[in-house]
Amino acid sequence: MTFKSLKITRPDDWHVHLREGNLLKAVINHSTRVNQRCIVMPNLNDPITTTLKGIDYIKKINLLSNNNFSPLLPCYLTEDLDLIDFSKGLDENIFIGAKLYPNEATTNSKYGISSTEKIYPALEILEKKDKILLIHGEKVDSEIDIFDREKYYIDQELSLIRKTFPNLRIVLEHVSSKYGAEYVNYSPNIAGTITPHHMMLTKKDVFLDKSINPHHFCMPVVKNEEDLIALRNFATSGNKKFFLGTDSAPHPIEFKVPNLKSKPGIFSAPCSIEIYASIFDEEKSLDNLEKFCSINGPKFYKLPVNADQIELIEERWTVPEYTIHQEIKIKNFMGGKELNWKLKA
Ligand code: DOR
Ligand code: ZN
């Protein structure tokens, strides 16, 4: 039996939640062990809406990571954002761009956007400065089925944003549907991140025979097999519009089970590069892994590609069930399951 080994340019994670305090301490090494850069999401309990908060958060992350690691931060958009401060934050590279959360679409989105028109001045600034708009693309409306939120956001909000700001460069985060992936594919100035879990799970993995698995509950919710297949095809094709964004989103276990208000989020950082490698292997596309993990992202963000490499080896290992740090316990995605690929230490 021959074992494969694969060297690729060091990856970046263009969408991850590192949180703060003890949770940050519990999870950060799982992201820095493999990535050079991470876009760290600003949806903290007190969201990052000003340059001061941004500088403070970056400092906290830098204190816990090695010198080679760079956190990149988008500003959390609100309808009453201080636009002078926002512009300054973009000019001084405190903010890489801005993240649009629709109001109440996910964790800590209560300061998010109810009326897209109210943030047009902020979008105009982004467009003028050629900075990226990152979008959680889900339309929240009691009339809209949770499985159709992405489609409705694209049809009713995103298409209007693109018409109004044709030169604005956009990342549709955690693309979760065939419809969304095809939209990204044929629209200019848009790219999409794809998570490991949206390429591993369907709604049958959330809604079980007689129960629900809260560890597979995330936003956007995982969908049908045809969506999973489309995402796998786009990700593994080498198409430059799609790149790595894990959306690894840890919640301490007491916020997941047993809980009628389980928080959405899947914590994949302990094994995300290994899952991506396994998926590309299953799809017979290991040749394209480097494009997805390490090339397409920096090209879209107009940043340099990393200089060094990582090595992945074909070796069976079992993902630990939990990440534990002091009083914090988080369920790892794929915890207790075997994977075929491993990062060489
Ligand atoms: O499942 C999710 N969890 N989706 C998001 O968009 C946010 C994230 C979180 O912060 O927990
Ligand atoms: Zn996220």
Side-chain angles (χ1 to χ4, degrees):
M1 193 166 174
T2 55
F3 286 97
K4 284 180 272 181
S5 148
L6 179 66
K7 282 192 180 154
I8 59 167
T9 298
R10 182 171 294 283
D12 307 291
D13 187 343
W14 301 96
H15 182 141
V16 66
H17 299 264
L18 293 187
R19 314 293 197 208
E20 56 198 319
N22 270 350
L23 200 43
L24 169 63
K25 286 185 188 149
V27 304
I28 185 158
N29 290 345
H30 290 299
S31 286
T32 58
R33 77 190 168 102
V34 55
N35 301 295
Q36 173 94 46
R37 295 165 290 207
C38 283
I39 294 210
V40 296
M41 287 295 144
N43 64 330
L44 305 185
N45 293 333
D46 179 16
I48 309 236
T49 50
T50 65
T51 51
L52 260 186
K53 288 183 191 175
I55 291 167
D56 183 51
Y57 188 44
I58 295 291
K59 231 187 252 167
K60 283 179 181 151
I61 294 171
N62 284 339
L63 273 175
L64 293 171
S65 53
N66 59 47
N67 286 339
N68 295 330
F69 179 73
S70 301
L72 307 171
L73 178 68
C75 178
Y76 182 116
L77 287 174
T78 64
E79 289 176 3
D80 59 0
L81 202 66
D82 176 344
L83 294 179
I84 293 173
D85 182 67
F86 176 55
S87 287
K88 185 177 136 221
L90 293 169
D91 290 343
E92 295 179 359
N93 286 322
I94 295 155
F95 296 133
I96 186 148
K99 176 79 189 267
L100 191 169
Y101 286 102
N103 186 258
E104 294 300 359
T106 186
T107 309
N108 292 339
S109 56
K110 69 174 174 212
Y111 305 105
I113 306 308
S114 300
S115 152
T116 310
E117 274 185 21
K118 291 210 176 122
I119 57 158
Y120 277 5
L123 302 189
E124 202 180 319
I125 291 170
L126 286 171
E127 186 184 44
K128 274 209 186 109
K129 295 185 189 291
D130 194 29
K131 297 283 188 176
I132 307 282
L133 173 67
L134 298 82
I135 300 187
H136 181 114
E138 290 199 285
K139 176 107 182 166
V140 184
D141 183 324
S142 54
E143 301 288 300
I144 297 172
D145 188 321
I146 197 165
F147 291 99
D148 295 330
R149 284 180 173 184
E150 188 164 278
K151 178 185 185 313
Y152 275 85
Y153 191 88
I154 288 169
D155 291 347
Q156 296 183 1
E157 308 286 341
L158 183 52
S159 44
L160 195 58
I161 292 175
R162 290 192 43 249
K163 216 163 136 196
T164 316
F165 303 98
N167 296 317
L168 177 58
R169 293 186 312 119
I170 296 172
V171 176
L172 183 61
E173 298 293 338
H174 38 59
V175 181
S176 66
S177 62
K178 180 168 187 253
Y179 189 85
E182 283 173 351
Y183 180 83
V184 168
N185 187 42
Y186 65 66
S187 308
N189 286 335
I190 294 207
T193 51
I194 302 182
T195 74
H197 48 272
H198 287 102
M199 294 194 283
M200 293 288 286
L201 306 173
T202 66
K203 59 190 180 190
K204 286 188 194 148
D205 299 298
V206 185
F207 301 99
L208 312 176
D209 232 8
K210 290 187 178 67
S211 64
I212 288 172
N213 184 341
H215 302 300
H216 292 164
F217 172 52
C218 60
M219 289 296 182
V221 290
V222 297
K223 298 188 167 62
N224 294 305
E225 198 171 331
E226 65 161 350
D227 300 298
L228 177 148
I229 290 168
L231 294 170
R232 280 186 172 228
N233 286 342
F234 279 113
T236 60
S237 67
N239 185 323
K240 62 181 196 288
K241 295 185 131 243
F242 296 94
F243 44 83
L244 188 159
T246 61
D247 199 14
S248 177
H251 291 289
I253 199 156
E254 62 272 22
F255 292 106
K256 294 292 272 179
V257 277
N259 195 333
L260 288 174
K261 277 183 126 182
S262 184
K263 292 203 179 191
I266 291 179
F267 180 55
S268 62
C271 59
S272 33
I273 193 68
E274 292 86 351
I275 300 177
Y276 283 125
S278 303
I279 291 169
F280 276 66
D281 194 9
E282 280 164 25
E283 301 299 331
K284 308 208 178 339
S285 303
L286 280 172
D287 284 355
N288 285 330
L289 184 68
E290 184 176 54
K291 291 195 189 106
F292 180 79
C293 297
S294 320
I295 312 287
N296 297 347
K299 292 275 180 227
F300 189 78
Y301 273 88
K302 299 188 180 169
L303 290 169
V305 168
N306 294 324
D308 66 334
Q309 290 187 316
I310 59 160
E311 186 170 0
L312 293 151
I313 45 176
E314 196 187 30
E315 180 185 312
R316 271 182 105 67
W317 65 294
T318 305
V319 180
E321 198 84 40
Y322 300 104
T323 293
I324 296 173
H325 174 81
Q326 294 178 356
E327 76 280 17
I328 296 208
K329 185 173 174 186
I330 310 154
K331 175 85 166 84
N332 297 332
F333 182 49
M334 298 293 287
K337 303 247 163 68
E338 284 197 335
L339 287 174
N340 283 340
W341 284 86
K342 200 168 186 208
L343 181 72
K344 192 167 174 193

